[in-house]
Amino acid sequence: MGVSPSGLGALLGEFEQNFRARGELGASVSVWWRGKEVLGDGRGWCEKEQHRAWTTRTLVPVYSATKVPSTAALMLALDEAGMSCETQVGEVWPGFPLPHASFAEMLSHQCGLAALDQPASLWDHEEVVAALEAQVPAWKPGEGHGYHPRTFGAMLEEPMRRLTGKTLGAFWNDRFARPLDLEFWIGLPESAQPRVARLYPGKASPNDFEEGFYKEFNRAGSVTQRAFGSPRGLRSVQEMNDPKAWGAGFPAMGGVGTASALAKFYQVLLGNIPGPLSASVRRAMMTRLVDGDDRVLVKPTAFAVGCQLDPLDSAGRKIRSLYGPSLDGFGHPGAGGSHAFGDPESGISFGYVMNQMELSVMPGRRSTVLVDALYG
């Protein structure tokens, strides 16, 4: 199974419908197959005032869709140091609260460090590391998993600095973005700032706050609320529109780029475009490690090393299909709707970015209709 002309046509039809009927402002979509882009479209506006037309080269922050590129960077650094995802974190970072946990366990959200008790600012890496090292894990590997929306960044950044002496963003830009010609930065250069679209927050309806995740998100002291609030800083969409945020290079949520660059990156993970990652690293990033109830997102999730997959029911069937029909599709969404994934079965990769956000930590309807149309 590969890409069909009818699937691409149906996807474009739904993309156009997003603008006509689903509140899209500016957006891009990209599909790659066998190492080549077979569909790339971008339209709309970079801001509501319609000063700049949106094109396929428009850049936009993608929040947690950054996590997979960031993980790939750390995995390459580990590989080049003669280590792997099975290496104990304590070998690189002795102060990590669970030093005997493997990098695979840490990067699949099994270490119970999603929320910090000690106050720390996202803008102060050393402060966040100190808070992490002082944190008593809420659970340990083998006791379940829960998404680490914000602390995940320092859990990537600190080992990277110890291994290479570089920030993760600098390593990504040097080893992936530039040599692979990916217009996706973790630490945006000032020269690219004029190409960044303005983000607009999604609007909540009363029903949204009755749903499991948002009910917990708004419950004082819940692990969900604490996980999305620590370390503190950069919580509003307005703050994410600040060039300071684009240039900071936060590994969990600070990536800025195009849909095409994200989809092309997943071709590298699939092995359809030559890149710096070994076959064993690429395999680890798409191999399901945990699957079940997520203590933070309050719904079933599944994770590999740094990547999300669709969870399965007891019969091995998908509970949802955010990553296409294949059981092995893997990727990561970003808050508000950005979405990217690779499909090992078909060889397809997909990227979607936008600036009118939806109220969702999972891909919203404007991206899922595109994926459904692509696969027919």
Side-chain angles (χ1 to χ4, degrees), residues 139-197:
W139 64 86
K140 299 176 182 178
E143 298 177 355
H145 72 281
Y147 182 51
H148 292 50
R150 295 167 73 86
T151 57
F152 196 81
M155 291 159 69
L156 292 164
E157 184 72 54
E158 182 63 12
M160 174 63 79
R161 294 187 184 188
R162 288 171 176 267
L163 287 165
T164 70
K166 296 181 178 181
T167 65
L168 187 142
F171 187 88
W172 161 266
N173 294 341
D174 288 344
R175 303 299 304 277
F176 289 86
R178 276 191 280 272
L180 294 168
D181 194 25
L182 297 174
E183 292 206 294
F184 185 87
W185 287 272
I186 304 172
L188 187 74
E190 188 175 345
S191 60
Q193 289 179 3
R195 293 169 52 197
V196 181

Side-chain angles (χ1 to χ4, degrees), residues 279-356:
S280 62
V281 167
R282 293 189 288 103
R283 188 164 50 250
M285 292 186 66
M286 61 182 84
T287 299
R288 188 183 305 262
L289 294 177
V290 291
D291 192 330
D293 291 336
D294 189 302
R295 294 169 178 254
V296 173
L297 295 181
V298 200
K299 63 182 68 178
T301 60
F303 289 97
V305 173
C307 298
Q308 190 178 114
L309 300 91
D310 288 317
L312 308 178
D313 65 17
S314 58
R317 296 170 300 209
K318 284 196 171 196
I319 293 174
R320 53 181 178 264
S321 293
L322 302 180
Y323 302 105
S326 169
L327 296 179
D328 299 320
F330 67 100
H332 214 290
S338 293
H339 190 30
F341 69 86
D343 177 356
E345 187 174 313
S346 67
I348 291 172
S349 60
F350 170 92
Y352 163 81
V353 301
M354 77 300 126
N355 61 343
Q356 176 54 67

Side-chain angles (χ1 to χ4, degrees), residues 74-87:
L74 178 58
M75 291 296 290
L76 176 59
L78 284 168
D79 198 33
E80 292 183 340
M83 301 178 181
S84 75
C85 63
E86 296 308 319
T87 299

Side-chain angles (χ1 to χ4, degrees), residues 18-375:
N18 281 348
F19 289 88
R20 287 195 298 263
R22 301 183 187 122
E24 197 80 274
L25 176 59
S28 298
V29 63
S30 176
V31 178
W32 286 64
W33 184 50
R34 294 182 175 175
K36 297 187 182 301
E37 189 171 35
V38 295
L39 182 149
D41 200 350
R43 59 185 74 183
W45 298 97
C46 293
E47 59 282 301
K48 288 183 177 179
E49 294 82 5
Q50 300 187 1
H51 296 312
R52 296 174 295 161
W54 184 295
T55 74
T56 55
R57 297 192 69 241
T58 295
L59 305 173
V60 69
V62 299
Y63 285 90
S64 287
T66 312
K67 285 184 168 73
V68 179
S70 294
T71 297
L74 178 58
M75 291 296 290
L76 176 59
L78 284 168
D79 198 33
E80 292 183 340
M83 301 178 181
S84 75
C85 63
E86 296 308 319
T87 299
Q88 293 182 354
V89 180
E91 289 189 34
V92 177
W93 180 3
F96 188 68
L98 293 170
H100 300 299
S102 69
F103 278 96
E105 290 167 334
M106 183 183 80
L107 298 174
S108 56
H109 304 272
Q110 297 186 62
C111 287
L113 299 167
L116 300 176
D117 294 326
Q118 186 171 301
S121 168
L122 185 69
W123 296 95
D124 188 332
H125 174 69
E126 299 305 325
E127 191 173 69
V128 178
V129 169
L132 271 169
E133 291 182 344
Q135 185 63 40
V136 176
W139 64 86
K140 299 176 182 178
E143 298 177 355
H145 72 281
Y147 182 51
H148 292 50
R150 295 167 73 86
T151 57
F152 196 81
M155 291 159 69
L156 292 164
E157 184 72 54
E158 182 63 12
M160 174 63 79
R161 294 187 184 188
R162 288 171 176 267
L163 287 165
T164 70
K166 296 181 178 181
T167 65
L168 187 142
F171 187 88
W172 161 266
N173 294 341
D174 288 344
R175 303 299 304 277
F176 289 86
R178 276 191 280 272
L180 294 168
D181 194 25
L182 297 174
E183 292 206 294
F184 185 87
W185 287 272
I186 304 172
L188 187 74
E190 188 175 345
S191 60
Q193 289 179 3
R195 293 169 52 197
V196 181
R198 182 171 184 81
L199 289 171
Y200 295 90
K203 293 181 173 61
S205 69
N207 290 337
D208 288 323
F209 297 108
E210 297 302 316
E211 191 255 338
F213 168 77
Y214 283 103
K215 188 174 182 179
E216 287 300 297
F217 182 81
N218 287 286
R219 185 169 68 84
S222 71
V223 67
T224 303
Q225 185 185 77
R226 292 172 58 237
F228 280 86
S230 58
R232 66 182 184 275
L234 211 63
R235 293 200 58 193
S236 73
V237 173
Q238 181 178 352
E239 289 176 281
M240 192 60 91
N241 284 321
D242 187 335
K244 181 183 175 185
W246 310 336
F250 295 121
M253 56 189 289
V256 181
T258 67
S260 181
L262 278 171
K264 183 179 180 181
F265 165 68
Y266 278 90
Q267 287 290 298
V268 176
L269 288 186
L270 291 171
N272 294 335
I273 291 178
L277 297 175
S278 66
S280 62
V281 167
R282 293 189 288 103
R283 188 164 50 250
M285 292 186 66
M286 61 182 84
T287 299
R288 188 183 305 262
L289 294 177
V290 291
D291 192 330
D293 291 336
D294 189 302
R295 294 169 178 254
V296 173
L297 295 181
V298 200
K299 63 182 68 178
T301 60
F303 289 97
V305 173
C307 298
Q308 190 178 114
L309 300 91
D310 288 317
L312 308 178
D313 65 17
S314 58
R317 296 170 300 209
K318 284 196 171 196
I319 293 174
R320 53 181 178 264
S321 293
L322 302 180
Y323 302 105
S326 169
L327 296 179
D328 299 320
F330 67 100
H332 214 290
S338 293
H339 190 30
F341 69 86
D343 177 356
E345 187 174 313
S346 67
I348 291 172
S349 60
F350 170 92
Y352 163 81
V353 301
M354 77 300 126
N355 61 343
Q356 176 54 67
M357 300 171 68
E358 298 178 89
L359 193 72
S360 177
V361 291
M362 291 293 189
R365 185 161 182 246
R366 295 201 306 266
S367 64
T368 58
V369 293
L370 304 180
V371 176
D372 293 344
L374 176 62
Y375 286 95

